[in-house]
């Protein structure tokens, strides 16, 4: 049986996934981390949880998050981030600039790659850095 909550893909397998495929996975990982952080912090009402979650997972907020973690990335992580950032997307939400959306896609690709390769501790480390920067604004 395959471990779905603890995947351990090798770099050769990850390179076969498109940048947008990695971002698709990373989008889910990022939202799960935000939702978990909010629940653990005591935000209890459903309407508050949704509104705050949406604020944190928006492309502009993710761009701030990405900028905060960039200095902490290894060369390999930076390469994955750039691969996602440079991916050709077909639609950009009206609340984001092209640059913000590109950074958000890079962040999501990085998180997707880290998750699929089983690097959960690294995800938590980077998430903590970005969360602090995002909430300092």
């Amino acid at each position: 049986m395959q471990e779905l909550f603890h995947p351990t893909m090798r770099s050769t397998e990850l390179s076969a996934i498109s940048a947008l495929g990695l971002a698709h996975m990373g989008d889910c990982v990022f939202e799960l981390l935000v939702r978990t952080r909010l629940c653990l912090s005591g935000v209890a009402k459903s309407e508050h949880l949704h509104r705050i979650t949406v604020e944190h997972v928006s492309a502009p907020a993710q761009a701030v998050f990405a900028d905060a973690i960039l200095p902490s990335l290894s060369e390999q992580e930076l390469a994955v981030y750039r691969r996602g950032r440079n991916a050709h997307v077909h639609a950009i939400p009206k609340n984001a600039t092209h640059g913000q959306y590109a950074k958000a896609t890079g962040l999501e690709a990085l998180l997707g790659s880290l998750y699929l390769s089983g690097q959960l501790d690294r995800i938590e480390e980077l998430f903590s850095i970005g969360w602090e920067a995002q909430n300092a604004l």
Side-chain angles (χ1 to χ4, degrees):
M1 182 167 93
Q2 216 173 12
E3 283 282 343
L4 297 179
F5 279 111
H6 302 284
T8 55
M9 294 179 79
R10 295 183 302 274
S11 60
T12 54
E13 295 170 310
L14 288 170
S15 64
I17 300 173
S18 72
L20 295 179
L22 292 174
H24 175 75
M25 184 76 249
D27 177 54
C28 175
V29 171
F30 189 76
E31 186 162 345
L32 180 62
L33 289 167
V34 168
R35 287 175 179 236
T36 302
R37 180 64 74 110
L38 293 175
C39 286
L40 291 175
S41 72
V43 178
K45 294 192 177 185
S46 166
E47 64 273 5
H48 293 22
L49 283 169
H50 178 72
R51 182 182 50 77
I52 297 169
T53 299
V54 169
E55 289 172 11
H56 283 285
V57 300
S58 69
Q62 286 182 329
V64 170
F65 194 102
D67 286 338
I69 69 167
L70 280 176
S72 302
L73 298 183
S74 69
E75 283 301 316
Q76 184 178 4
E77 292 166 342
L78 195 54
V80 174
Y81 168 80
R82 286 184 184 132
R83 184 175 159 213
R85 185 193 63 199
N86 296 334
H88 182 66
V89 294
H90 299 286
I92 297 170
K94 62 184 174 202
N95 70 332
T97 66
H98 177 74
Q100 289 170 328
Y101 197 71
K103 287 179 181 182
T105 304
L107 171 68
E108 291 172 347
L110 172 62
L111 293 175
S113 176
L114 291 171
Y115 175 76
L116 291 171
S117 63
Q119 297 181 62
L120 304 183
D121 290 340
R122 182 63 174 152
I123 291 172
E124 287 194 40
E125 182 181 336
L126 293 173
F127 187 79
S128 291
I129 294 167
W131 183 263
E132 294 305 318
Q134 204 179 50
N135 288 290
L137 298 178

